[in-house]
Amino acid sequence: EMGRTPLFVFVQKEVGDRLVATPMVSVSEEINRGVTGDGGSSLHSKYGARVVASRLKGSNYSRPSVFIQNYFTVKIERIFSEETYYPKTEVLGALVHLRPRPRPLVDVKPASLFAFLNACFKGRMRGPSRPALKSLSKICPPEVARFILESLRIDGNSVPLAQLSVTDLATLALLWETYI
């Protein structure tokens, strides 16, 4: 069992945003969810389009998001302006609360999860349009990649790694560790 002492860390706001980030979503998912902007207007309103665009491009979901969220619940408690510091800085700060989970979402060795995420999310493999099967085939034989994805009922030809949940990615890491 993991330790239960909550942590409060002070980081740049951008780092805090990465720690709490969720998987990227596709336009079709947003349409199916009925994302609306201002007061029930359509997806194509100027506000709705901004909501979708912000969730599609520049997602902060990354290695730190997955790794930290597998072992902790994460919440940004407060954002601090640049005037808070002396001397004044040019960046915003964030107080991040990390509360250890009683058990990880997936009981994978931290070193294995770290290695898996480093291999999967590096370079161009991180792009939101790259299918999971193609990404995984770069770090293990294609047959193994296909088997691992099918074990989780993930369509590796159409779903990118950046759209998989923390639990899915940690489970992939556990299976990757088992079969490689």
Side-chain angles (χ1 to χ4, degrees):
E1 189 169 307
M2 299 184 67
R4 301 291 301 149
T5 304
L7 303 171
F8 289 90
V9 292
F10 192 75
V11 295
Q12 258 184 266
K13 183 184 178 300
E14 291 79 13
V15 174
D17 289 342
R18 282 187 180 266
L19 296 178
V20 299
T22 57
M24 293 182 69
V25 294
S26 67
V27 172
S28 61
E29 285 181 88
E30 287 296 318
I31 291 170
N32 289 338
R33 284 190 195 142
V35 168
T36 59
D38 179 32
S41 58
S42 75
L43 176 68
H44 299 292
S45 74
K46 71 178 187 177
Y47 298 110
R50 284 185 190 159
V51 169
V52 172
S54 70
R55 294 205 48 205
L56 292 175
K57 70 174 193 173
S59 171
N60 289 320
Y61 191 59
S62 60
R63 291 176 275 195
S65 312
V66 176
F67 190 83
I68 294 295
Q69 290 176 34
N70 189 56
Y71 301 105
F72 297 89
T73 58
V74 186
K75 180 181 176 190
I76 294 180
E77 292 289 339
R78 185 166 176 202
I79 303 296
F80 292 88
S81 69
E82 54 276 345
E83 285 87 25
T84 304
Y85 314 101
Y86 182 81
K88 183 180 170 186
T89 66
E90 294 183 17
V91 297
L92 297 175
L95 181 63
V96 179
H97 184 187
L98 301 169
R99 178 172 288 141
R101 296 181 184 277
R103 296 261 177 228
L105 292 175
V106 177
D107 197 14
V108 59
K109 294 177 191 168
S112 296
L113 180 58
F114 189 76
F116 176 79
L117 293 172
N118 276 341
C120 287
F121 277 81
K122 85 173 153 187
R124 293 178 44 172
M125 292 173 68
R126 184 173 177 260
S129 62
R130 189 180 203 79
L133 179 60
K134 194 168 189 175
S135 295
L136 288 178
S137 293
K138 300 283 184 185
I139 62 170
C140 64
E143 315 75 59
V144 174
R146 196 172 296 106
F147 176 77
I148 289 172
L149 290 166
E150 287 172 359
S151 297
L152 293 176
R153 294 186 175 97
I154 295 171
D155 180 3
N157 291 314
S158 63
V159 178
L161 287 176
Q163 288 182 13
L164 297 179
S165 69
V166 171
T167 303
D168 287 340
L169 286 166
T171 303
L172 286 173
L174 182 63
L175 293 171
W176 177 72
E177 173 189 47
T178 303
Y179 295 111
I180 297 300

